[in-house]
């Protein structure tokens, strides 16, 4: 039975990918290898525990011994690696980039080396549109657009991609890279814009909007992103890069207004705050290659995806409460010092 090693499978996209792969690939066994940082939560993967084609191993992708052990199941090496594990939050990388270089760059190199030594046949690097840097109002990034990352997070992901490229060129590793756009859906840690807005609005807190709010993102539902990663794993050309972007460009202000309207909440909860340093203005991807070569195209419309995501967060209060722990509260106070610490609707008018 084929065995896939999934790193970072207790996080947002990785956990959604594991569920999709177990459902769509009945012949595949999956090892989920994850350090369980603040973003990787046991309750995110609790439902997978009894699944016979699945095992969880806690470990660090920077630990060569642990990574090598995770690649083996009953004596045989993994057939494929899908590498999600990363420090993923841009704001945290601006505050301190050390962990990003360690996990995203060193960790990718360690895993590549372990995969090569074990003779793994396929390696998929989950990367991001942020490696391209920022666009003006026009144009879209293609896979051959230059790398111009602007945040420490984006730079660490671009560096990781270059280690993958080196493994392809030097050792002939059959690796594929996907560059996904801003993703949303179930199990996303509440620090990211959409779950931050939902959880703040439902507790009467203000929602911090950086700068002018005119920055543009193309949001993709996690089901579509995971479908693209699975297609690239199955059908991607070794050495190729595939953009996986959502279809609807939206400014951050418009996104929050639509989300609050869908939630039945007032737009006065939006609170402009100081801009993110080096804030990329616009991301947009040309996904023609993924469409032509993988037969992939995103299917979830933003309005439907947002409504489903609101329902999911409202229906998973225990998960939200566990994620919003004291460590997260301390992070929020550091990140948003200008926001009232009390719920907005109980402060003076
Ligand atoms: P996430 O922060 O929700 O999850 C990351 C996971 O990696 C967590 O489970 C964490 O415990 C694990 N991890 C962190 N350091 C580790 C280490 N040293 N060893 C083993 N595990 C470790 O991230 P996400 O949003 O699910 O993103 C997953 C991947 O997709 C990342 O590589 C990210 O760069 C990429 N990506 C994310 C988005 C997005 O919008 N979220 C878009 C494009 C690409
Ligand atoms: O584009 C892909 C990337 O999307 C991934 O590679 C990253 O892992 C993922 O975190 C995400 O990065 P962003 O920085 O774009 O996501 P975030 O949700 O943090 O921010 C989305 C936009 O919203 C961005 O323009 C900044 C803005 N924002 C964000 C936060 C947290 C705000 O205005 N206020 C906020 O409080």
């Amino acid at each position: 039975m084929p065995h896939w090693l999934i790193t970072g499978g207790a996080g947002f996209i990785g956990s959604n990918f594991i569920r999709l792969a177990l459902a769509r690939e009945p012949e595949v066994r999956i090892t989920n290898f994850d350090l369980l940082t603040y973003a990787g939560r046991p309750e995110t993967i609790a439902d997978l525990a009894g699944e016979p084609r699945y095992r969880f191993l806690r470990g660090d992708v920077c630990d060569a011994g642990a990574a090598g052990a995770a690649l083996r199941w009953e004596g045989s090496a993994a057939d494929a690696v899908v590498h999600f594990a990363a420090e993923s939050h841009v704001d945290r990388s601006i505050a301190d980039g050390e962990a990003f270089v360690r996990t995203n760059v060193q960790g990718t190199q360690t895993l590549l080396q372990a995969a090569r030594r074990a003779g793994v046949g396929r390696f998929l690097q989950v990367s991001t549109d942020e490696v391209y840097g920022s666009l003006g109002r026009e144009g879209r990034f293609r896979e051959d657009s230059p790398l111009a990352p602007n945040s420490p997070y984006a730079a660490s992901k671009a560096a990781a991609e270059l280690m993958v490229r080196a493994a392809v060129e030097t050792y002939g590793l059959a690796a594929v890279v996907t560059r996904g756009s801003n993703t949303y859906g179930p199990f996303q840690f509440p620090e990211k814009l959409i779950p931050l807005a939902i959880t703040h609005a439902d507790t009467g807190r203000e929602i911090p909007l950086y700068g002018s709010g005119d920055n543009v993102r193309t949001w993709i539902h996690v089901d579509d992103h995971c479908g693209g990663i699975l297609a690239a794993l199955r059908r991607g050309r070794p050495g190729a890069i595939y953009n996986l972007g959502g279809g609807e460009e939206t400014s951050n202000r418009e996104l929050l207004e639509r989300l609050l309207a869908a939630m039945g909440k007032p737009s006065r909860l939006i609170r402009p705050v100081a801009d993110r340093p080096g804030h990329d203005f616009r991301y947009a991807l040309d996904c023609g290659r993924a469409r032509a070569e993988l037969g992939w195209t995103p299917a979830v419309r933003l309005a439907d995806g947002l409504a489903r995501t609101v329902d999911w967060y409202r229906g998973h209060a225990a998960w939200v409460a566990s994620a919003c722990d004291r460590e997260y509260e301390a992070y929020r106070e550091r990140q948003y010092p200008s926001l009232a610490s009390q719920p907005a609707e109980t402060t003076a008018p």
Side-chain angles (χ1 to χ4, degrees):
M1 198 179 236
H3 169 214
W4 295 355
L5 177 71
I6 313 297
T7 72
F12 165 45
I13 308 177
S15 62
N16 280 282
F17 180 83
I18 289 174
R19 285 189 192 87
L20 181 81
L22 285 171
R24 283 219 204 142
E25 305 279 345
E27 298 302 315
V28 169
R29 292 182 300 174
I30 286 178
T31 296
N32 179 1
F33 182 60
D34 194 299
L35 187 57
L36 299 182
T37 67
Y38 78 93
R41 312 200 63 82
E43 52 277 20
T44 294
I45 48 170
D47 61 305
L48 296 170
E51 166 59 58
R53 293 184 291 123
Y54 167 87
R55 64 176 183 165
F56 175 75
L57 297 178
R58 187 174 189 182
D60 187 342
V61 288
C62 300
D63 177 342
L71 281 161
R72 304 198 80 76
W73 193 342
E74 288 164 1
S76 55
D79 300 275
V81 172
V82 187
H83 182 32
F84 291 93
E87 289 293 337
S88 67
H89 194 35
V90 171
D91 290 328
R92 292 188 193 247
S93 82
I94 292 168
D96 184 352
E98 288 293 319
F100 290 73
V101 175
R102 181 183 180 279
T103 292
N104 300 0
V105 187
Q106 180 62 54
T108 300
Q109 173 58 16
T110 301
L111 194 65
L112 283 166
Q113 211 150 271
R116 182 167 59 83
R117 289 193 176 133
V120 169
R122 196 89 168 135
F123 190 103
L124 190 136
Q125 173 70 5
V126 181
S127 192
T128 167
D129 59 2
E130 299 206 8
V131 298
Y132 295 118
S134 185
L135 282 169
R137 294 208 177 268
E138 302 294 322
R140 285 166 188 272
F141 291 121
R142 288 164 33 130
E143 288 84 351
D144 56 3
S145 300
L147 296 177
N150 291 319
S151 71
Y153 161 74
S156 71
K157 292 294 291 185
E161 276 197 31
L162 294 180
M163 297 315 299
V164 174
R165 177 190 156 88
V168 171
E169 297 297 324
T170 308
Y171 307 111
L173 187 76
V176 173
V177 173
T178 56
R179 293 179 178 156
S181 68
N182 281 70
T183 309
Y184 70 99
F187 296 109
Q188 186 168 32
F189 194 75
E191 67 193 351
K192 309 287 175 21
L193 183 63
I194 288 178
L196 179 89
I198 296 170
T199 53
H200 276 213
D202 270 340
T203 50
R205 286 184 188 234
E206 291 171 320
I207 301 155
L209 177 65
Y210 293 156
S212 65
D214 292 336
N215 305 66
V216 172
R217 300 292 183 265
T218 43
W219 295 91
I220 183 171
H221 191 272
V222 69
D223 290 350
D224 281 332
H225 192 167
C226 289
I229 291 169
L230 191 56
L233 181 68
R234 282 297 193 198
R235 300 191 286 282
R237 272 180 295 117
I241 297 168
Y242 296 93
N243 285 342
L244 300 174
E248 292 164 79
E249 290 191 31
T250 318
S251 76
N252 291 337
R253 179 178 295 280
E254 185 196 338
L255 175 87
L256 290 182
E257 282 170 354
R258 286 175 65 174
L259 186 60
L260 288 170
M263 294 179 74
K265 298 286 179 183
S267 57
R268 68 180 153 77
L269 285 174
I270 299 171
R271 162 81 89 92
V273 299
D275 208 354
R276 171 185 279 177
H279 196 174
D280 286 335
F281 176 66
R282 175 171 165 258
Y283 303 140
L285 295 175
D286 178 331
C287 299
R289 180 182 285 175
R291 215 168 27 245
E293 294 187 19
L294 308 176
W296 175 86
T297 184
V300 181
R301 292 181 57 85
L302 186 60
D304 299 337
L306 288 179
R308 274 161 56 186
T309 304
V310 169
D311 287 348
W312 188 88
Y313 278 88
R314 286 181 166 167
H316 290 79
W319 187 92
V320 172
S322 153
C324 295
D325 59 10
R326 286 170 65 175
E327 188 190 334
Y328 178 57
E329 189 55 46
Y331 162 78
R332 254 195 307 210
E333 281 174 15
R334 286 196 305 277
Q335 182 64 24
Y336 305 110
S338 67
L339 236 61
S341 56
Q342 291 158 318
E345 287 182 351
T346 62
T347 54

